Amino acid sequence: MRFTRRKFLISAAGLAAAVPLTRLLAQPKFARNPFSLGIASGYPAPEGVVLWTRLAPDPQAGGGMPDAAVEVAWEVAADDAFRKIVRSGKELAAPEWAHSVHAEVAGLAPGRRYFYRFHAGGVVSATGRFQTVPAAGAPAQRLHFAFASCQQYEHGYYVAYRHMAAEDLDLVVHLGDYIYESSWGRNHVRKHDAGESVTLAEYRNRYALYKTDPDLQAAHAAFPWIVTWDDHEVANDYANDRSQFADPREAFLTRRAAAYRAYYEHLPLPRRMQPRGPDMQIHTRWDYGALARFHVLDDRQYRDHQVCAHPDRRGGGNVVQPADCPDLLQPGRTLLGSTQEQWFSDGLTETGARWNVIAQQTLMAQVDRKPGEGQSFWTDGWDGYPKARERLLSLVAAKRVANPVVIGGDIHTSVVADLKTDFDDPKSPVVATEFVGTSITSQGISAKSVETWRAENPHIRYASSTRRGYTTVELTAKRCHARMRAVNEKDDNSSVNTLAAWTVEDGRPGAQRGG
Ligand SMILES: [Fe+2]
């Protein structure tokens, strides 16, 4: 059924401000809730934010929308009853972007709490909230954020997100593996009910499945997010234009284009990040007044291929001993690509922030995985790109970057590490602190392996792989305080508790237990 424009405006009662008229292509009456995938906000700025939703009345069947653009109205209010609407507008949700909406709101006030919601076809979405950040360079007392990664849907319930939504946070940072392209692991509590995602339609359905989870929706509605991806948003262990099986390049780039497009369609990303074919720039900087600058990195899209692949595959990660893999130490190898490395370096120079949070996908510290004599390394992480890591950490040291803290995910293990330019030299100074968070649900490595990590690598101060959850970080002028929050992902009623807490003091790299 087609609504007239007048009827639409009446049905979307509460829409206060006048909006420019655009051609109404279709205004369907929805048989089911079009906001089945929830709502989200992202990339809060001093005066703006990105608001996201996607219309999908039939989420598992491609969304269930007509092949036409649909008008979606949004409102931002100072109160959750929407009595004081401060900004409103309309977007066209287009079929070529899976009827997703990325509304860029401007004209807000710095450091304020706001509420938002959407209207489409007479239906009102749930209400979300976000806080704008302090003005550029303005003093800020405190930033409290959580970071998360690795949420294999089949491995557990998103009870971690339910608890995260109840915390008092300003921001959530997601560090990758937001979806998994394939089914794996044991003791599934629920199923993908679909094979490996390869096409755009398949990636869209996979995001739709994950995003129907009410706890994930709650964490999006409660706080603004900033995000980066790891490999599983596309395919396990991919590197740039190469899959772990070294599929034909053109075919893999077609798959990557589909995966990146679906990623954009399902997250509250600014429009400047919209992909073009297989390319999508998501590395960015995010500032929280004078207190913190986040350097958000992309270590998948531009990296050199992994060296010394497993004999059963032609690409992807492998565990190797440096003596058997001299290519590992090639000086020019890069994980970020030269353009992003230069951009990262520029961003370090101009920062006046008290804390510099380097948000990236995986463990940065070296991990010798071989018990006793000799060393062996996993080539898909920074250990596969040791010279690139040395360049990055040398830069951080040389530029005297204020309070560098690296956060990461990927390994389904909580880790606290001292980062050094030479991990094999016990006298090498600590140049930055690293916190890696455990997974939201994805199954971890064995406790025995983690014991070896600790025994072989004195710069690894803490490591625990047995629990799932997320990490909260409180930044003030004086300290950075991280709490590893743990749940039982198999129990949908699980409580949350703090497994460990570590503190970094201002001006003193390296974490101390407790605080
Ligand atoms: Fe993962």
Side-chain angles (χ1 to χ4, degrees), residues 147-150 175 361 406-416 434-440 464 467-471 484:
F147 67 93
S149 61
C150 299
L175 299 174
Q361 288 82 351
V406 174
I407 59 172
D410 175 44
I411 55 172
H412 313 171
T413 300
S414 298
V415 173
V416 179
E434 175 165 39
F435 295 110
V436 173
T438 188
S439 55
I440 290 287
S464 171
R467 301 290 299 277
R468 315 276 68 84
Y470 57 95
T471 310
M484 286 78 176

Side-chain angles (χ1 to χ4, degrees), residues 302-319:
Y302 314 106
R303 62 161 72 190
D304 284 329
H305 302 153
Q306 298 93 342
V307 290
C308 308
H310 193 273
D312 294 346
R313 299 183 295 180
R314 291 170 55 219
N318 191 9
V319 177

Side-chain angles (χ1 to χ4, degrees), residues 230-231 237-238 299-300 303-307 316-319 328 333-335 360-367 369 377-389 409-411:
D230 195 26
D231 54 341
D237 278 11
Y238 86 93
D299 80 10
R300 281 286 158 195
R303 62 161 72 190
D304 284 329
H305 302 153
Q306 298 93 342
V307 290
N318 191 9
V319 177
L328 203 58
R333 282 173 53 68
T334 177
L335 193 65
Q360 49 86 58
Q361 288 82 351
T362 188
L363 177 71
M364 194 175 280
Q366 175 175 295
V367 182
R369 290 156 191 258
F377 299 116
W378 170 244
T379 61
D380 188 58
W382 283 97
D383 275 347
Y385 303 78
K387 293 295 177 188
R389 173 175 57 203
D410 175 44
I411 55 172

Side-chain angles (χ1 to χ4, degrees), residues 127-147:
T127 295
R129 58 170 209 247
F130 65 88
Q131 221 153 306
T132 50
V133 305
Q141 293 286 311
R142 171 181 185 258
L143 168 63
H144 193 207
F145 69 96
F147 67 93

